């Protein structure tokens, strides 16, 4: 099938905006022209975010297969799970969320405020678990799926990050086509894309989508998982499955799947001094906020890569 043949439920405002980070580019010497594509501003559903692109395809599939409950998993403060329940609310489905303790954070209200509070407001049935971080399929999630079935419901299983799923890479394969259209409008070409990777389908979809285009570019994944080999394997698996799904017509080479591991701070979810410095620099120069789990780490990488030439 061609990418355009896959049905999706529109959950976005439209193409996410692209703008130049002029002051950051100048701060880093002016040799590299840095732009941001703002998938943090892409939807009116619970503050949007990159997972909403993936959920457009998964929500459509859930509706087409007659499911009544989205069941997903993430950390206690997961952006992904917040977006899953928002998508469920938008299309009229119920939602069960498993929230594991992926980040060792001692704050007494860590499981009561922020994203998890928003998920509760939107009606999620939340199951807290003390299990630690792992991007593999989780027993707690499988148990939640089974509990919906046992109660007579029809669950639709969405893995962490909406990633390791047959449709998980389609959203960012379409994103790659969106970038090419915006490049035509801007009269420019982005030769390097920098993105954080943990569960992998954001980068994987980009790899497959850009591989279908004539002009080559580098897609630099910045590991945020601190489980680098496992994450690379998952990116490669999702990218190749996506390439096959959209009829790319060739195999993806290992060299096309780049995951840099110097900026993960040695642990998922906790920023180091370099990440915090990158967040502050970007915020104070551009008014653009990056988070300490994902894009703060990839911003630290981008800054280092530009400074080092």
């Amino acid at each position: 099938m061609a990418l355009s043949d896959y049905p999706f439920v529109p959950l976005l405002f439209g193409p996410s905006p692209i703008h130049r980070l002029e002051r950051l580019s100048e701060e880093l010497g002016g040799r590299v022209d840095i732009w941001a594509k703002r998938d943090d501003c892409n939807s009116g559903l619970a503050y949007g975010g990159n997972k909403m692109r993936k959920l457009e395809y998964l929500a459509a599939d859930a509706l087409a297969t007659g499911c009544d409950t989205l069941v997903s998993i993430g950390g206690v403060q997961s952006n992904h799970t917040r977006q899953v329940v928002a998508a469920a609310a938008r299309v009229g489905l119920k939602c069960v969320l498993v929230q594991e303790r992926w980040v060792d954070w001692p704050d007494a209200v860590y499981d009561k405020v922020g994203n998890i509070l928003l998920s509760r407001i939107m009606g999620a049935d939340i199951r807290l678990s003390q299990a630690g971080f792992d991007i593999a399929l989780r027993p707690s999630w499988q148990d939640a799926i089974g509990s919906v079935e046992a109660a007579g419901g029809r669950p639709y299983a969405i893995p962490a990050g909406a990633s390791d799923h047959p449709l998980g890479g389609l959203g960012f394969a379409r994103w790659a086509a969106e970038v090419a259209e915006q490049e035509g409008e801007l009269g420019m070409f982005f030769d390097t894309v920098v993105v954080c990777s943990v569960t992998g389908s954001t980068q994987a979809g980009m790899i497959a989508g850009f591989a279908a285009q004539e002009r080559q570019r580098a897609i630099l994944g910045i590991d945020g998982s601190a489980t680098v080999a496992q994450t690379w394997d998952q990116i490669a698996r999702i990218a190749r499955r996506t390439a096959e799904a959209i009829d790319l017509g060739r195999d993806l080479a290992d060299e096309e799947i780049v995951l840099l591991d110097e900026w993960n701070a040695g642990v998922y979810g906790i920023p180091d001094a370099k990440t915090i410095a990158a967040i502050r620099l970007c915020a104070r120069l551009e008014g653009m906020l990056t988070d300490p789990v994902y894009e703060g780490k990839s911003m630290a990488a981008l800054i280092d890569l530009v400074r080092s030439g």
Side-chain angles (χ1 to χ4, degrees), residues 207-221:
I207 292 168
F210 283 130
Q213 299 176 15
E214 291 184 4
R215 298 184 70 176
Q216 293 186 341
R217 67 186 92 213
I219 301 99
L220 303 182

Side-chain angles (χ1 to χ4, degrees), residues 73-94:
I73 183 169
V76 168
Q77 288 295 339
S78 167
N79 292 329
H80 160 71
T81 52
R82 182 199 77 229
Q83 291 168 73
V84 170
V85 65
R90 179 67 181 84
V91 301
L93 299 176
K94 293 179 284 187

Side-chain angles (χ1 to χ4, degrees), residues 74-78 100-107 110 130-134 267-271 293-294:
V76 168
Q77 288 295 339
S78 167
E100 295 187 330
R101 201 152 187 96
W102 286 4
V103 179
D104 186 16
W105 196 256
D107 196 316
Y110 187 65
Q130 292 301 310
F133 173 71
D134 194 334
V267 60
Y268 170 78
I270 303 292
V293 180
Y294 296 94

Side-chain angles (χ1 to χ4, degrees), residues 49-112:
N50 70 315
K51 308 303 190 298
M52 202 59 76
R53 285 187 184 271
K54 310 172 191 184
L55 293 170
E56 289 192 312
Y57 289 94
L58 274 63
D61 192 44
L63 293 171
T65 53
C67 294
D68 61 14
T69 307
L70 304 184
V71 184
S72 197
I73 183 169
V76 168
Q77 288 295 339
S78 167
N79 292 329
H80 160 71
T81 52
R82 182 199 77 229
Q83 291 168 73
V84 170
V85 65
R90 179 67 181 84
V91 301
L93 299 176
K94 293 179 284 187
C95 183
V96 173
L97 300 176
V98 177
Q99 315 272 180
E100 295 187 330
R101 201 152 187 96
W102 286 4
V103 179
D104 186 16
W105 196 256
D107 196 316
V109 295
Y110 187 65
D111 61 356
K112 298 177 179 63

Side-chain angles (χ1 to χ4, degrees), residues 2 15 19 63 79 84 86 119 121 123 129 132 140 205 222 273 290 307:
H19 62 95
L63 293 171
N79 292 329
V84 170
S119 295
I121 290 170
S129 167
S140 57
I222 309 303
T290 52
R307 282 177 170 162

Side-chain angles (χ1 to χ4, degrees), residues 9-22:
V9 176
L11 300 175
L12 308 180
F13 289 132
S16 58
I18 297 180
H19 62 95
R20 185 168 184 251
L21 302 183
E22 183 175 351

